[in-house]
Amino acid sequence: MKKVLCLVLAMSFAIFAAGCGSVEFEDTNGPDDYSLAQITDENIVNLDVGAANYSQKPGSDDSDNLSRMTEFKSDNFNGVAEIYRNHLLGKSDLTIDVTNLQVSGGNYRLSVVQDGEIIYDFPLNEMLQTYELRDTNGDISIVMSGESADFYMSIQVW
């Protein structure tokens, strides 16, 4: 009986692990068009697509803390990743500084989501950008999405 139980558990784990494989999207809209072709607004808001192949440094491993300038980069980022989330109570201010958002291949999007709605997308291939939310509240998140994206950016939230 123990052997059967162990076999069932091992098979269940193998099936689960196979289902958690990396997400991969091809760049279907050409090398000069960096807009997303397959990932939708709903995927971004619902965070229902996994993410793979990006690095983060030197900020914190805690995705809720981008209070220091944090670098994100990849040469093949695929999926949807929430890189910041905060629930603002009362009327609050939030400033997002993005430095050197560069995309050189694939498709990429950096979005600000508030209470389940995309409220802002950062323009690509710009050096210095700031987006400010004033006297606001609710759930705020920053989400990056990519389809075989080759990108680099630094971000700080304060």
Side-chain angles (χ1 to χ4, degrees), residues 40-97:
T40 66
D41 288 0
E42 290 78 23
N43 295 137
I44 294 169
V45 169
N46 295 327
L47 300 170
D48 59 5
V49 174
N53 303 327
Y54 70 92
S55 66
Q56 170 184 349
K57 68 176 190 177
S60 170
D61 287 337
D62 177 3
S63 65
D64 292 341
N65 183 4
L66 293 178
S67 60
R68 295 186 305 161
M69 189 61 74
T70 303
E71 174 187 286
F72 291 87
K73 66 180 178 177
S74 176
D75 61 359
N76 188 30
F77 169 59
N78 284 283
V80 177
E82 181 178 73
I83 60 172
Y84 175 86
R85 179 185 264 312
N86 198 348
H87 182 76
L88 302 175
L89 298 174
K91 295 294 182 182
S92 301
D93 295 341
L94 192 70
T95 301
I96 305 164
D97 289 326

Side-chain angles (χ1 to χ4, degrees), residues 71-132:
E71 174 187 286
F72 291 87
K73 66 180 178 177
S74 176
D75 61 359
N76 188 30
F77 169 59
N78 284 283
V80 177
E82 181 178 73
I83 60 172
Y84 175 86
R85 179 185 264 312
N86 198 348
H87 182 76
L88 302 175
L89 298 174
K91 295 294 182 182
S92 301
D93 295 341
L94 192 70
T95 301
I96 305 164
D97 289 326
V98 176
T99 304
N100 197 21
L101 175 53
Q102 298 297 313
V103 180
S104 57
N107 306 319
Y108 185 83
R109 184 173 177 186
L110 183 63
S111 306
V112 178
V113 178
Q114 182 173 18
D115 295 326
E117 180 181 334
I118 298 171
I119 60 169
Y120 186 74
D121 287 311
F122 285 91
L124 305 179
N125 297 321
E126 291 195 13
M127 282 298 288
L128 302 172
Q129 303 179 57
T130 298
Y131 182 72
E132 297 177 336

